[in-house]
Amino acid sequence: MAGTVTVPGSSVPSTPLLKDELDIVIPTIRNLDFLEMWRPFFQPYHLIIVQDGDPSKVIKVPEGFDYELYNRNDINRILGPKASCISFKDSACRCFGYMVSKKKYVFTIDDDCFVAKDPSGKDINALEQHIKNLLSPSTPFFFNTLYDPYREGADFVRGYPFSLREGAPTAVSHGLWLNIPDYDAPTQMVKPRERNTRYVDAVLTIPKGTLFPMCGMNLAFDRQLIGPAMYFGLMGDGQPIGRYDDMWAGWCVKVICDHLSLGVKTGLPYLWHSKASNPFVNLKKEYKGIFWQEDIIPFFQNATLPKECDTVQKCYISLSEQVKEKLGKIDPYFVKLADAMVTWIEAWDELNPSDAVVASGNGKAAAK
């Protein structure tokens, strides 16, 4: 759908931002009726739907959307033997959509996430806010106590170095959720009725050297700047761990963004997370990760990348080597994961031969 979109009481621009430069990636196992709620915001954009589970099941998409749909058979056909790096029966399959996209930006959302309302009762255009985050710089090298200084009504506070006010390119915009919090299984069990009702009108840059638990249900990124690092790991069916796919990607991404002087923002936009997953099923998927993360986090906190790693691909391969060497001692799974990381990059480069990204020494990133 081209042209204009006008929705009473909404903040949809007359000409959708980045209409021809952004893909929306959705992993799913069910009919996508939830898109009706998002129609005013999503219909101008191209959707990439990654169907998990039984490829013979027909997924219904509401009429009027421009989309392409891939199931497991398509993934096997397109990637051949390298399809082994794409998780099965896990939302991590979404990263196949990142690989086949040809756009500069990607927004990904889960199919149980609905349009939220701000405190005034107005529908939140999550996609528009993500785009605003990505198109404005980040401040990873010095924290601004008014949070994002590039937002309307804000600026750099007294004492902020003028030499850093140009900021760094923003590679990732990490959104949040109202209603069902993104908790691990033990926290779900002890707080089964807890709901997030707190709307915080803020966006901030995560400082350099600080990790964060990235949630994939409300996420946007600059595919040209950081796409090859957005691998959601080897999780789900046949693997000893699940529900760590987005967090694994986030840890890898943050280390690489720090190395290449790129920024990661978190905060707005909110969406409405409609349903809680089963905590007992989640615990079965998570329990090894709950132990392993006590070693994984220090690993990423101490990971360093050589100066010659000047592309995301080079950074990611270096990180995979360190995963194999250091985390491989914890469990053979990490050796398998490290090999899958390499396979992922090989597959990415086959489908995107001219998509390498170079970072110059002055903190700027440009396409090669």
Side-chain angles (χ1 to χ4, degrees):
M1 174 182 172
T4 61
V5 177
T6 303
V7 181
S10 80
S11 58
V12 180
S14 57
T15 302
L17 291 167
L18 303 180
K19 176 187 171 297
D20 299 316
E21 299 179 72
L22 182 142
D23 280 331
I24 300 173
V25 174
I26 305 169
T28 192
I29 58 171
R30 59 181 65 87
N31 294 334
L32 294 180
D33 299 328
F34 93 113
L35 284 173
E36 286 294 352
M37 179 179 284
W38 288 102
R39 186 181 292 275
F41 307 124
F42 289 2
Q43 192 162 355
Y45 296 88
H46 180 67
L47 311 182
I48 298 177
I49 301 163
V50 184
Q51 178 182 343
D52 200 10
D54 182 2
S56 67
K57 181 179 178 181
V58 177
I59 297 292
K60 295 181 180 179
V61 181
E63 291 185 6
F65 286 93
D66 171 32
Y67 72 93
E68 52 191 306
L69 188 152
Y70 297 93
N71 60 32
R72 193 69 202 186
N73 293 338
D74 299 315
I75 295 172
N76 292 338
R77 172 178 51 83
I78 293 168
L79 296 185
K82 292 184 174 63
S84 61
C85 72
I86 304 298
S87 298
F88 189 51
K89 294 185 179 178
D90 191 276
S91 66
C93 69
R94 80 178 79 217
C95 62
F96 176 77
Y98 310 159
M99 185 184 286
V100 297
S101 170
K102 301 304 175 189
K103 304 290 177 61
K104 177 173 169 55
Y105 300 98
V106 166
F107 167 59
T108 186
I109 184 173
D110 284 0
D111 61 11
D112 63 347
C113 292
F114 301 156
V115 177
K117 294 183 182 295
D118 68 18
S120 72
K122 183 178 178 182
D123 284 353
I124 296 170
N125 184 349
L127 181 53
E128 182 181 47
Q129 179 63 51
H130 274 300
I131 291 171
K132 289 179 178 179
N133 291 347
L134 290 170
L135 293 182
S136 64
S138 293
T139 54
F141 310 118
F142 201 87
F143 189 80
N144 191 56
T145 50
L146 277 182
Y147 305 120
D148 192 340
Y150 306 103
R151 284 189 71 187
E152 185 177 352
D155 210 326
F156 294 95
V157 298
R158 181 170 54 91
Y160 200 102
F162 286 91
S163 60
L164 295 178
R165 294 190 181 193
E166 186 178 350
T170 300
V172 179
S173 171
H174 179 256
L176 301 175
W177 1 260
L178 295 171
N179 196 36
I180 305 296
D182 185 29
Y183 285 159
D184 54 35
T187 309
Q188 277 185 293
M189 289 176 179
V190 298
K191 295 183 174 182
R193 294 182 179 84
E194 184 158 291
R195 299 293 181 265
N196 182 33
T197 60
R198 188 164 173 256
Y199 179 98
V200 180
D201 185 13
V203 177
L204 63 152
T205 298
I206 300 173
K208 181 178 181 180
T210 300
L211 297 174
F212 74 113
M214 189 173 80
C215 174
M217 75 172 88
N218 179 19
L219 180 71
F221 59 93
D222 187 321
R223 186 179 173 280
Q224 289 184 358
L225 288 182
I226 201 62
M230 274 288 178
Y231 177 45
F232 275 41
L234 201 57
M235 307 278 167
D237 195 48
Q239 309 304 330
I241 184 176
R243 284 175 53 82
Y244 273 82
D245 50 322
D246 42 7
M247 290 184 287
W248 179 265
W251 297 325
C252 293
V253 159
K254 189 57 168 63
V255 169
I256 293 172
C257 281
D258 287 352
H259 177 75
L260 295 179
S261 296
L262 301 172
V264 177
K265 291 186 176 184
T266 188
L268 301 181
Y270 284 91
L271 46 67
W272 183 270
H273 187 203
S274 65
K275 61 181 181 181
S277 48
N278 187 307
F280 296 98
V281 173
N282 290 346
L283 184 60
K284 186 176 180 180
K285 296 177 180 178
E286 292 176 0
Y287 80 96
K288 286 195 175 182
I290 291 170
F291 291 105
W292 287 345
Q293 71 185 14
E294 302 306 318
D295 291 301
I296 294 173
I297 299 302
F299 164 76
F300 281 108
Q301 286 174 326
N302 293 298
T304 57
L305 298 169
K307 287 184 179 180
E308 56 267 25
C309 289
D310 58 358
T311 69
V312 176
Q313 284 92 330
K314 289 178 184 177
C315 291
Y316 204 72
I317 293 298
S318 175
L319 208 48
S320 73
E321 293 168 351
Q322 296 178 53
V323 168
K324 178 175 284 190
E325 177 190 352
K326 296 182 180 178
L327 294 181
K329 298 173 183 176
I330 298 172
D331 192 275
Y333 163 72
F334 290 101
V335 175
K336 187 177 181 181
L337 175 57
D339 289 339
M341 293 168 71
V342 175
T343 302
W344 160 265
I345 292 295
E346 291 172 350
W348 182 284
D349 286 347
E350 282 184 12
L351 293 183
N352 305 279
S354 61
D355 210 25
V357 174
V358 177
S360 66
N362 63 358
K364 306 275 186 168
K368 188 190 246 182

